[in-house]
């Protein structure tokens, strides 16, 4: 069953699975959580103005209802790693599937605004769990020769989920004759938009029964024989399985169950590597990317674009998001994570600055002159392109790879929690900031994109081609 051993630490880099198609299926099934992450995060875009109208709420309260899901995301992200260490990665996926399903039904049939907010928190908890368990599981089942590209499946699934949600929203809007509150089979259009997520949520749960548990988790609970079977599936039968298990066991013997205490250092609170993970997560959000996915329809309507066109532009933006993600998947293992991050930071800073300039020309009637309107639309798409080909992918790859084994689960949970808190801050503040000064808001996002460049240059180390047991 095994072959001559390669030197320990190099085997994971050189192993090529005989059944790469099977590895891709496993990865894609796990990344279905990422699809739901993207779908649930973005689907609210089509319902923002309908919710404002139905419940007669102002920008500040509306923002809290939209952003409240992110509180659930932060809690889910903070707890998912510990839960996964106790009951396994697959069980966490199944729990998330149930929560996604319940949230979709509840959000589609709310009794009142508080009720809608509650179901959004439940969905947010599922998103947070998926944001942690997806990259962690994929990193643990992927041979390192393919790990960057397979790790990119999580972000690819997220952006496909975003695109599908916008396409579904646009289709439902057209069925309702362009009215977000138009009735279809007794329910308003926006309710159908939120309820359709039941379908992929159930599919995610079914797929979780068709993929193996992580070999690292199996070894941690003493199921070594099963771990070898999984390693043979994902790394190939020509790999020395005894050596791989020994490699993982030795790494695990040097550690204990990761906990919050393990993340603490003597001077700066957290260990430096944890701060780097937090920094990557926070910068990913502070450039304002989720404004494009939570508010783009409302944003374009606020500068004079009709609802049907605004929904269409939200969909085209999500297609650009997919194109950028594919570019990242092609290059993440070729040129590395850091170069992609730096390229993306520069491109985002320039495009955000152009958006800020264009929005500064907004007239008293709430429209943009033709030239500025064209620049705003193009710059918005370019911004999403540069985000997708860089920070959208490399942050998730980094978080799945950069931490030492003994703190990986807990550190990834903290970093993802920080990401959701930053996401909440941007999402909750945008409506009020845009009422204050839309152009100034985009200047703030552009500054954060610029600041991310020295952060990467000074603090972020390349992880390309390293085995997980070498980290730290």
């Amino acid at each position: 069953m095994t072959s001559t051993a390669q030197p320990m630490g190099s085997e994971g880099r050189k192993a090529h699975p005989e059944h790469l198609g099977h590895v891709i299926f496993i990865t894609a099934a796990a990344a279905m959580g990422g699809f739901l992450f993207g779908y649930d995060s973005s689907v609210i875009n089509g319902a923002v103005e309908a919710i404002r109208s139905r419940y007669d709420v102002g920008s500040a309260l509306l923002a809290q209802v939209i952003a409240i899901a992110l509180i659930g995301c932060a809690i889910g992200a903070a707890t998912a790693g510990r839960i996964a260490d106790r009951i396994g990665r697959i069980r966490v996926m199944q729990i998330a599937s149930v929560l996604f399903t319940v949230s979709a039904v509840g959000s589609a049939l709310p009794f009142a605004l508080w009720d809608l907010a509650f179901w959004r928190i439940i969905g947010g908890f599922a998103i947070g769990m998926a944001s942690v368990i997806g990259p962690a599981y994929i990193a643990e089942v992927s041979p390192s020769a393919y790990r960057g590209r397979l790790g990119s499946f999580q972000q690819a699934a997220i952006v496909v989920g975003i695109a599908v949600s916008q396409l579904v929203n646009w289709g439902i809007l057209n069925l309702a004759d362009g009215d977000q509150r138009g009735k279809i089979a007794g329910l308003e259009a926006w309710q159908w938009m939120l309820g359709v997520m039941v379908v992929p949520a159930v599919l995610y749960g079914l797929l979780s029964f068709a993929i193996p548990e992580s070999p690292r988790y199996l070894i941690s609970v003493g199921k070594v024989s099963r771990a070898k079977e999984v390693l043979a599936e994902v790394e190939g039968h020509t790999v020395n399985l005894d050596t791989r298990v020994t490699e993982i066991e030795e790494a695990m013997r040097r550690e204990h169950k990761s906990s919050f205490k393990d993340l603490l250092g003597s001077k700066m609170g957290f260990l430096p590597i944890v701060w780097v993970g937090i920094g990557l997560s926070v910068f990913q959000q502070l450039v304002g990317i989720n404004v494009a996915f939570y508010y783009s329809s409302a944003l374009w309507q606020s500068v004079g674009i009709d609802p049907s066109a605004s929904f269409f532009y939200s969909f085209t933006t999500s297609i650009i998001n997919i194109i950028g993600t594919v570019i990242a998947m092609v290059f993440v293992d070729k040129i590395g994570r850091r170069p992609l991050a730096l390229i993306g930071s520069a491109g985002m800073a320039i495009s955000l600055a152009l958006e800020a300039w264009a929005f500064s020309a907004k007239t008293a009637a709430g429209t943009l002159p033709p030239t500025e309107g064209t620049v705003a639309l193009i710059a918005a798409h370019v911004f999403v392109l540069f985000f997708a080909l860089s920070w959208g992918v490399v942050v998730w790859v980094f978080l799945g790879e950069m931490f030492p084994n003994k703190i990986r689960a807990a550190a990834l949970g903290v970093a993802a929690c920080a990401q959701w808190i930053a996401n909440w801050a941007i999402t909750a503040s945008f409506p009020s900031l845009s009422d204050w000064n839309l152009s100034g808001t985009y200047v703030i996002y552009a500054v954060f994109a610029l600041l991310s460049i020295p952060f990467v240059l000074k603090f972020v180390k390349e992880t390309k081609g390293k085995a997980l047991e070498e980290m730290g």
Side-chain angles (χ1 to χ4, degrees):
M1 186 171 68
T2 60
S3 65
T4 303
Q6 299 178 38
M8 197 170 296
S10 66
E11 183 167 11
R13 287 191 291 275
K14 296 179 180 178
H16 288 252
E18 299 143 352
H19 309 293
L20 185 57
H22 181 59
V23 179
I24 291 172
F25 169 76
I26 292 171
T27 303
M32 190 66 189
F35 177 92
L36 285 160
F37 170 170
Y39 194 103
D40 196 18
S41 296
S42 182
V43 70
I44 195 68
N45 192 359
V48 172
E49 292 305 309
I51 293 170
R52 186 198 299 270
S53 170
R54 175 161 174 169
Y55 296 107
D56 191 25
V57 295
S59 293
L61 182 56
L62 178 67
Q64 295 307 316
V65 174
I66 303 305
I68 199 167
L70 301 171
I71 301 300
C73 291
I75 297 170
T79 57
R82 294 298 303 278
I83 295 173
D85 282 343
R86 289 178 181 273
I87 66 174
R89 282 60 166 152
I90 300 299
R91 288 287 178 265
V92 171
M93 293 180 194
Q94 291 163 354
I95 291 170
S97 169
V98 171
L99 294 176
F100 275 124
T101 303
V102 170
S103 170
V105 174
S107 297
L109 303 170
F111 301 109
L113 191 63
W114 68 264
D115 181 34
L116 175 61
F118 173 76
W119 295 118
R120 283 188 53 72
I121 292 174
I122 298 298
F125 193 89
I127 294 173
M129 295 180 81
S131 74
V132 170
I133 203 60
Y137 175 85
I138 291 169
E140 289 178 350
V141 299
S142 300
S144 57
Y146 298 95
R147 198 174 58 235
R149 279 164 286 181
L150 293 174
S152 300
F153 273 48
Q154 172 80 356
Q155 182 64 18
I158 292 171
V159 298
V160 170
I162 291 170
V164 171
S165 74
Q166 298 312 301
L167 182 60
V168 169
N169 284 356
W170 186 53
I172 291 173
L173 184 72
N174 287 328
L175 286 175
D177 298 321
D179 183 359
Q180 290 160 266
R181 296 197 59 193
K183 290 292 183 72
I184 303 173
L187 296 178
E188 294 184 4
W190 68 273
Q191 294 176 276
W192 282 106
M193 293 176 188
L194 300 183
V196 168
M197 191 179 69
V198 165
V199 176
V202 171
L203 179 59
Y204 180 42
L206 294 175
L207 284 172
S208 70
F209 288 98
I211 59 177
E213 183 55 85
S214 158
R216 284 172 175 78
Y217 172 75
L218 291 170
I219 291 172
S220 75
V221 294
K223 298 181 179 180
V224 176
S225 296
R226 177 56 184 151
K228 286 184 179 181
E229 293 174 8
V230 176
L231 286 168
E233 288 181 38
V234 300
E235 296 195 5
H237 291 280
T238 59
V239 173
N240 189 322
L241 299 177
D242 292 326
T243 300
R244 286 294 292 128
V245 169
T246 300
E247 198 173 318
I248 295 169
E249 285 178 332
E250 287 189 356
M252 294 174 66
R253 273 197 292 270
R254 296 194 297 267
E255 66 191 57
H256 53 279
K257 289 287 184 182
S258 58
S259 68
F260 188 80
K261 284 185 178 180
D262 297 319
L263 307 182
L264 301 178
S266 57
K267 295 181 180 180
M268 299 182 293
F270 290 122
L271 295 167
I273 190 67
V274 178
W275 280 117
V276 174
I278 290 171
L280 285 167
S281 290
V282 169
F283 272 116
Q284 188 197 52
Q285 296 303 313
L286 294 185
V287 297
I289 185 60
N290 280 306
V291 168
F293 300 125
Y294 297 157
Y295 294 114
S296 61
S297 293
L299 172 63
W300 296 126
Q301 290 174 55
S302 76
V303 292
I305 295 174
D306 68 81
S308 182
S310 72
F311 271 57
F312 179 72
Y313 291 140
S314 295
F315 173 62
T316 58
T317 300
S318 65
I319 296 301
I320 293 295
N321 197 19
I322 293 175
I323 293 170
T325 302
V326 171
I327 294 171
M329 291 175 71
V330 170
F331 289 105
V332 68
D333 278 328
K334 292 183 178 179
I335 69 172
R337 289 67 159 144
R338 288 179 83 243
L340 278 182
L342 294 169
I343 290 167
S345 293
M348 289 190 296
I350 293 169
S351 53
L352 285 166
L354 287 171
E355 281 193 85
W357 171 80
F359 288 135
S360 69
K362 184 177 178 181
T363 67
T367 61
L368 294 179
T371 299
E372 284 80 356
T374 301
V375 169
L377 281 170
I378 293 173
H381 285 73
V382 171
F383 163 61
V384 171
L385 176 66
F386 274 100
F387 175 86
L389 66 80
S390 60
W391 285 75
V393 168
V394 298
V395 169
W396 292 111
V397 176
F398 268 130
L399 294 182
E401 294 179 337
M402 65 187 288
F403 301 114
N405 272 345
K406 70 175 183 178
I407 65 167
R408 180 170 295 117
L412 209 162
V414 167
C417 180
Q419 183 172 133
W420 290 117
I421 292 171
N423 190 341
W424 172 83
I426 293 296
T427 305
S429 64
F430 177 74
S432 297
L433 283 174
S434 62
D435 286 348
W436 161 69
N437 189 318
L438 185 57
S439 177
T441 301
Y442 275 83
V443 169
I444 293 170
Y445 301 154
V447 169
F448 281 119
L450 275 176
L451 290 175
S452 69
I453 295 174
F455 173 79
V456 171
L457 289 172
K458 184 171 178 61
F459 297 112
V460 180
K461 295 181 181 179
E462 184 60 76
T463 58
K464 172 188 170 185
K466 295 183 179 180
L468 292 183
E469 286 71 34
E470 296 177 67
M471 298 302 174

